[in-house]
Amino acid sequence: MKLTQIIAILAISAVFFACNNQNASKSEMKTQKDSTSYALGALQAEGFLDQMEKFQVLKHIDTKWFLKGAEDYTSGEKAMDFSSVQMTLSNVIRKIQADSAYAMPEASTGEEMQNVSDSFGYALGAQLVEGINRTLVQMKATADIDSSFVMTGINDVMTDSSQIDQKTGTDLLNKMVQKARAAQMEAQQQQESANAEQYADNKKAGEDFLEENKQRPEVKVTESGLQYEVLKKGTGASPAATDQVKVHYHGTLIDGTVFDSSVERGEPITFGLNQVIPGWTEGVQLMKEGAKYKFYIPQELAYGGADKGKIKPYSTLIFEVELLEVVK
């Protein structure tokens, strides 16, 4: 396995973390939050050690310095910045991969890092926690975790004294993830409701435009509500929804504002038809290579209530699309 892949797995092998500096005893756990936090630390550490064994790195990890790195990156009192952490891991793992007989010096027993064993152990602990921290923030789940119990779980696994089984721990973490996802969905729904009120005029303007536009004889309307007109017929192959297509396009709002244009950039683009908005997926399948169509895409077949910068929520979109090639 490549070095970059190993570093990436180290970064994502941890999934959650929070910020406090005192370790807690498992016997002190009184709430589900406490138990979930302990399970989080224990299971993440177990998964981490399994990965290190596969990479033939496990024997090079000093437990004391690993825990020191994890604790420092929890408290924010970092003895090594993150760029140095990544550089240390890259350098050491590269040496381990290049030489199966590579030997580390004995780790120091003092409070300051003295050699590569110290810094490598510290960097691994730091990398683990940094990945956890970032994921917790992304999930907006920091309030659901007490890091004192997380550190206890990590410590217990690293010292071979874990007090939780895989099933119990997994069940606890699944509940936490479900709670975080439900909170994110609720927040998204609230934002969409706010957008619906704020951008009601934008939505109405699009509906009025489409109602008038479909009266023109050159405009055709599909069952989904997609409107299109043929500017130039094609003679080549038609794509399926799973095909890659090479196109030129020019996208505007109904007031003529250009929000994206490969034509203006002077370079066509290739992408999968199942990777774009529904209006594109449906519309481009109607075309043959060499054709040029103009699509009028209702907001529900575009980005709906999402805010995409120049494309405000509930915007009707207009695209001129030339299908250059169906890429097999």
Side-chain angles (χ1 to χ4, degrees):
M1 181 173 289
K2 294 181 179 180
L3 175 62
T4 53
Q5 293 174 306
I6 294 177
I7 296 296
I9 290 175
L10 293 181
I12 65 174
S13 62
V15 182
F16 312 100
F17 212 79
C19 296
N20 275 317
N21 196 33
Q22 299 297 318
N23 288 8
S25 167
K26 184 174 184 296
S27 62
E28 297 172 354
M29 291 190 293
K30 296 182 174 65
T31 66
Q32 181 166 320
K33 178 177 178 178
D34 300 342
S35 300
T36 300
S37 301
Y38 182 90
L40 172 59
L43 266 61
Q44 290 304 304
E46 288 175 357
F48 174 84
L49 293 179
D50 286 344
Q51 292 295 335
M52 294 304 95
E53 187 171 16
K54 291 178 183 177
F55 301 149
Q56 299 181 332
V57 171
L58 186 60
K59 64 181 180 181
H60 298 290
I61 301 175
D62 180 77
T63 299
K64 170 199 164 182
W65 286 107
F66 174 88
L67 291 174
K68 173 65 174 170
E71 290 168 356
D72 281 4
Y73 264 69
T74 300
S75 68
E77 299 177 1
K78 304 171 184 178
M80 184 186 296
D81 62 40
F82 194 61
S83 62
S84 298
V85 164
Q86 293 179 306
M87 184 176 297
T88 297
L89 293 177
S90 296
N91 291 339
V92 175
I93 292 174
R94 185 178 292 110
K95 292 176 181 178
I96 293 172
Q97 286 187 318
D99 182 4
S100 60
Y102 178 75
M104 293 275 218
E106 185 175 346
S108 61
T109 58
E111 295 300 315
E112 300 292 332
M113 287 181 279
Q114 301 293 329
N115 59 42
V116 67
S117 291
D118 306 345
S119 59
F120 184 58
Y122 186 98
L124 285 170
Q127 177 83 7
L128 182 70
V129 170
E130 181 69 12
I132 293 172
N133 278 337
R134 293 181 179 185
T135 304
L136 256 188
V137 170
Q138 184 179 9
M139 290 185 63
K140 299 181 180 179
T142 53
D144 297 324
I145 294 298
D146 182 336
S147 65
S148 62
F149 288 104
V150 176
M151 278 305 304
T152 301
I154 293 174
N155 183 81
D156 284 0
V157 168
M158 296 302 294
T159 56
D160 199 25
S161 56
S162 176
Q163 302 177 60
I164 193 168
D165 62 84
Q166 184 79 25
K167 183 180 184 306
T168 300
T170 300
D171 288 345
L172 287 167
L173 295 186
N174 283 342
K175 289 178 181 177
M176 186 188 74
V177 171
Q178 290 168 4
K179 178 182 177 183
R181 287 176 176 169
Q184 289 176 332
M185 186 172 295
E186 182 179 358
Q188 181 179 347
Q189 290 172 344
Q190 290 175 350
Q191 184 61 56
E192 288 178 353
S193 296
N195 284 346
E197 181 176 349
Q198 181 179 354
Y199 294 98
D201 290 345
N202 194 41
K203 183 179 180 181
K204 180 67 163 51
E207 292 171 347
D208 291 345
F209 171 86
L210 291 170
E211 182 63 29
E212 182 178 350
N213 191 61
K214 73 180 183 180
Q215 306 304 321
R216 296 192 296 122
E218 63 269 31
V219 174
K220 299 179 181 180
V221 185
T222 70
E223 186 175 345
S224 70
L226 175 68
Q227 299 182 9
Y228 70 96
E229 56 182 298
V230 179
L231 304 180
K232 184 177 72 171
K233 292 183 178 181
T235 58
S238 293
T242 54
D243 284 338
Q244 295 271 323
V245 294
K246 183 177 182 180
V247 300
H248 251 320
Y249 66 90
H250 184 72
T252 66
L253 305 177
I254 60 174
D255 65 1
T257 299
V258 178
F259 57 81
D260 193 12
S261 175
S262 70
V263 175
E264 292 187 354
R265 290 193 298 271
E267 184 176 356
I269 187 170
T270 300
F271 53 79
L273 272 186
N274 57 1
Q275 299 173 334
V276 290
I277 58 174
W280 264 79
T281 303
E282 177 184 357
V284 177
Q285 288 183 82
L286 302 173
M287 304 174 71
K288 295 181 181 295
E289 288 174 320
K292 186 175 183 179
Y293 281 25
K294 192 170 186 176
F295 296 108
Y296 305 90
I297 304 179
Q299 57 85 17
E300 60 268 23
L301 298 179
Y303 296 105
D307 192 330
K308 297 294 182 178
K310 288 184 179 181
I311 303 175
K312 296 306 178 185
Y314 305 106
S315 290
T316 293
L317 306 182
I318 302 172
F319 283 97
E320 288 189 9
V321 180
E322 182 178 7
L323 179 57
L324 303 175
E325 182 184 357
V326 177
V327 182
K328 297 295 185 181

